[in-house]
């Protein structure tokens, strides 16, 4: 059975093509800066949005037409695996990501859930061997089940804490079984509704304790995926502890976990936090903690996490500039944490949406390379900070000055001349690269 009969393999045909099922910008084999685009971009597909999400919204029933539904939840889960690997192969995508609950039904008990996971991950392992695809990361969903109403590692219930730990242990076992390259923690409900009944310090201590158990368990099973924490400021909790990159790094440093974790940064989470995506990437870089990215975009007129496929070339070019400065993302990658719009309910939209996202990133990557080769940003920054190359500036940078010597300098010298940043001109020139 073929799930995506429209095409055998999506190929690069260039921007003139009339073929819907072709890449217009992304040529996986094109060599840039000594590596193929496929090696640079490390694209990944997210199981939850692509395979599990049904198109329902708070006002409407499921709408997605999917041909993988079987007679029972396990048959559906098995069909999904086949469909998923067909999609990966047809799009020539090498990596994928999933939550435990995406791939296997929860059953009636934790033990049944784990048995279901064993069966489905056997199948996934077989498919990985056949197709050469790799697990970029997996994670445990510790936010959907009603037991997690008050969080998982931050819960008020020690019993719930134990179940969360069991899910993460299983997640790390699965990571080892499938050769997972990274492992993600997103604190879905690790936050609070009101301080009236919340001990914030107690909850954060418990989260840190939980992460230490995960680090220890990796040691114990001798499996070392890069651990990643994914910030998000709100939704589902009103206040989430991992608000943004800076807050998350402070938490990691406070609990001496910065050596064990990097960040998985999502574009839509950045904008929800009131930041641009490139801001978040730049903050992570400054801590040497840029691990991986979740590629999507938010609806700027809406205040929630819309997880749209990324098509904004301007924003993605600035994000890819940060990625280039980072020397790439490996062992991380570019995971499309994005879902088709409700009106794109057909099976083939899964192909078209990923093609759009991959083309956008490919185009943005080429823009970022050109900007770098031309020294566009380097030149601007060089000029802007030029005064730190003067005798005075050099002394400041060499820590040879103090408040008294700087005061002496300031009193002896005339008011400095201000230079305009010509920012509109800069933006106009940037447009030439898009
Ligand atoms: C939700 C998050 C989630 C994480 C993985 O907003 O993006 O999907 O990436 O749990
Ligand atoms: Ca995400
Ligand atoms: Ca999201």
């Amino acid at each position: 059975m073929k799930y995506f009969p429209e095409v055998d393999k999506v190929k690069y045909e260039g921007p003139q093509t009339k073929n819907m099922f072709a890449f217009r910008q992304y040529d996986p084999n094109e060599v840039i800066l000594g590596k193929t685009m496929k090696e640079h971009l490390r694209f990944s597909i997210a199981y939850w949005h692509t395979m599990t999400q049904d198109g329902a919204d708070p006002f409407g029933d499921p709408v997605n037409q999917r041909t993988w539904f079987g007679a029972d939840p396990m048959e559906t889960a098995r069909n999904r695996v086949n469909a998923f690997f067909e999609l990966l192969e047809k799009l020539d995508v090498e990596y994928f990501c999933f939550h435990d609950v995406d791939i296997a039904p929860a059953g009636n008990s934790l033990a049944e859930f784990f048995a279901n996971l064993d069966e489905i991950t056997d199948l996934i392992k077989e498919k990985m061997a056949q197709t050469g695809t790799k697990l970029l990361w997996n994670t445990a969903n510790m936010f959907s089940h009603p037991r997690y109403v008050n969080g998982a590692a931050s819960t008020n219930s020690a019993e719930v804490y134990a179940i969360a730990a069991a899910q993460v242990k299983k997640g790390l076992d699965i990571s080892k079984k499938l050769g997972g390259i990274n492992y993600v923690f997103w604190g879905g409900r690790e936050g609070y509704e009101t301080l009236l009944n919340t001990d914030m310090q107690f909850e954060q201590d418990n989260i840190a304790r939980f992460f230490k158990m995960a680090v220890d368990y990796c040691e114990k099973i001798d499996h070392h995926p890069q651990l990643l924490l994914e910030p998000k400021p709100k939704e589902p909790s009103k206040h989430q502890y991992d608000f943004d990159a800076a807050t998350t790094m402070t938490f990691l440093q406070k609990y001496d976990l910065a050596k064990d974790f990097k960040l998985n940064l999502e574009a839509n989470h950045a904008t929800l936090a009131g930041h641009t995506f490139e801001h978040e990437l730049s903050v992570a870089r400054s801590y040497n903690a840029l691990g991986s990215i979740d590629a999507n975009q938010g609806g700027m007129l809406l205040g929630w996490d819309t997880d749209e496929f990324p098509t904004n070339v301007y924003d993605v070019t600035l994000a890819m500039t940060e990625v280039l400065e980072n020397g790439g993302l490996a062992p991380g990658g570019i995971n499309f944490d994005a879902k088709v719009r409700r009106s794109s309910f057909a099976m083939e939209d899964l192909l078209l949406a990923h093609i759009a996202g991959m083309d956008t990133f490919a185009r943005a990557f080429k823009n970022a390379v050109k900007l770098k080769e031309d020294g566009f940003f380097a030149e601007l920054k060089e000029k802007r900070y030029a005064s730190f190359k003067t005798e005075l500036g050099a002394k400041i940078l060499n820590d040879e000055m103090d408040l008294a010597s700087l005061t002496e300098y300031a009193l002896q010298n005339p008011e400095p001349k201000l230079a305009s940043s010509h920012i509109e001109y800069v933006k106009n020139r940037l447009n030439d690269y898009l």
Side-chain angles (χ1 to χ4, degrees):
M1 151 109 192
K2 287 261 179 291
Y3 292 93
F4 302 96
E6 296 78 12
V7 62
D8 278 338
K9 188 121 197 161
V10 177
K11 295 202 186 93
Y12 172 73
E13 292 182 9
Q16 290 77 25
T17 186
K18 295 270 183 297
N19 179 3
M20 287 171 92
F21 301 103
F23 293 120
R24 318 169 72 80
Q25 297 287 337
Y26 176 58
D27 178 355
N29 301 315
E30 184 180 343
V31 175
I32 298 179
L33 303 176
K35 273 198 264 174
T36 63
M37 287 253 255
K38 187 170 172 176
E39 287 168 320
H40 278 292
L41 296 171
R42 299 171 64 85
F43 286 133
S44 154
I45 301 186
Y47 215 93
W48 52 103
H49 284 314
T50 295
M51 308 312 292
T52 319
Q53 187 265 126
D54 58 14
D57 73 10
F59 299 94
D61 296 340
V63 62
N64 288 347
Q65 299 167 357
R66 299 293 179 249
T67 52
W68 50 66
F69 289 109
D72 58 66
M74 271 310 267
E75 191 182 310
T76 299
R78 281 189 295 267
N79 293 345
R80 272 199 184 111
V81 173
N82 291 325
F84 188 61
F85 280 86
E86 188 186 322
L87 187 69
L88 286 166
E89 268 206 292
K90 290 193 165 169
L91 286 164
D92 201 5
V93 168
E94 198 174 349
Y95 301 93
F96 62 96
C97 299
F98 61 81
H99 299 85
D100 47 4
V101 304
D102 305 333
I103 58 168
N108 292 313
S109 67
L110 195 60
E112 198 180 321
F113 178 39
F114 286 176
N116 291 344
L117 281 170
D118 289 340
E119 185 182 331
I120 298 297
T121 50
D122 282 346
L123 192 58
I124 289 179
K125 194 174 172 173
E126 242 172 70
K127 285 281 177 187
M128 287 172 74
Q130 280 164 22
T131 56
T133 45
K134 301 180 185 94
L135 178 60
L136 186 68
W137 52 263
N138 61 313
T139 184
N141 175 325
M142 303 186 293
F143 43 89
S144 296
H145 192 285
R147 70 169 79 93
Y148 294 122
V149 63
N150 291 314
S154 65
T155 176
N156 58 313
S157 155
E159 285 82 7
V160 170
Y161 195 90
I163 300 177
Q167 263 186 271
V168 168
K169 177 182 175 296
K170 187 71 183 170
L172 290 168
D173 288 337
I174 289 173
S175 174
K176 178 164 181 164
K177 173 172 174 180
L178 302 179
I181 305 168
N182 304 272
Y183 185 89
V184 163
F185 293 86
W186 168 59
R189 290 182 197 275
E190 312 295 28
Y192 66 90
E193 171 69 25
T194 166
L195 276 181
L196 295 178
N197 63 2
T198 301
D199 183 338
M200 204 151 72
Q201 171 86 52
F202 176 83
E203 295 196 355
Q204 294 209 341
D205 287 353
N206 270 350
I207 297 174
R209 189 169 282 122
F210 191 91
F211 288 154
K212 290 203 169 115
M213 291 183 203
V215 171
D216 290 346
Y217 189 68
C218 288
E219 204 56 55
K220 188 170 165 198
I221 61 173
D222 193 22
H223 173 58
H224 299 277
Q226 172 63 57
L227 301 178
L228 299 170
L229 248 182
E230 181 178 331
K232 184 175 183 182
K234 55 190 169 191
E235 200 208 10
S237 300
K238 191 194 273 182
H239 302 272
Q240 298 216 170
Y241 293 133
D242 299 329
F243 187 94
D244 59 3
T247 314
T248 307
M249 287 315 301
T250 310
F251 169 88
L252 289 172
Q253 290 187 332
K254 176 178 176 186
Y255 293 99
D256 193 26
L257 286 161
K259 58 191 186 321
D260 303 307
F261 282 80
K262 288 193 171 186
L263 302 182
N264 181 43
L265 294 168
E266 177 177 322
N268 203 166
H269 297 183
T271 48
L272 284 176
H275 301 305
T276 60
F277 192 30
E278 63 270 21
H279 167 94
E280 288 294 84
L281 299 174
S282 185
V283 170
R285 274 202 317 112
S286 71
Y287 286 92
N288 190 23
L290 174 51
S292 199
I293 71 181
D294 272 2
N296 61 19
Q297 67 188 29
M300 284 311 155
L301 305 179
L302 306 170
W304 65 91
D305 195 14
T306 59
D307 290 336
E308 295 172 26
F309 272 86
T311 50
N312 184 321
V313 177
Y314 193 102
D315 289 352
V316 182
T317 298
L318 296 182
M320 286 314 287
T321 294
E322 291 296 328
V323 169
L324 258 188
E325 287 304 317
N326 196 55
L329 287 167
I334 295 172
N335 173 48
F336 289 108
D337 191 350
K339 60 173 180 252
V340 287
R341 297 303 87 193
R342 188 170 147 85
S343 57
S344 297
F345 45 71
M347 286 286 279
E348 75 236 29
D349 285 306
L350 295 174
L351 285 165
L352 299 174
H354 284 94
I355 293 171
M358 291 162 81
D359 273 339
T360 302
F361 265 82
R363 182 166 174 170
F365 176 63
K366 288 184 271 188
N367 294 345
V369 169
K370 184 87 179 59
L371 282 157
K372 192 171 170 67
E373 283 173 349
D374 289 0
F376 186 91
F377 297 113
E379 196 184 303
L380 277 171
K381 291 176 193 177
E382 167 101 21
K383 276 204 190 125
R384 189 151 185 265
Y385 298 105
S387 71
F388 282 90
K389 293 260 166 70
T390 61
E391 196 189 333
L392 170 69
K395 276 190 181 162
I396 295 174
L397 297 188
N398 288 331
D399 298 320
E400 286 166 21
M401 300 297 272
D402 58 14
L403 288 186
S405 55
L406 285 169
T407 302
E408 200 185 311
Y409 181 94
L411 287 172
Q412 277 170 10
N413 285 277
E415 185 68 24
K417 261 210 200 111
L418 289 184
S420 168
S421 59
H422 303 313
I423 205 71
E424 294 76 10
Y425 171 67
V426 169
K427 289 185 177 176
N428 196 16
R429 277 187 52 216
L430 177 59
N431 281 345
D432 295 341
Y433 288 84
L434 303 180

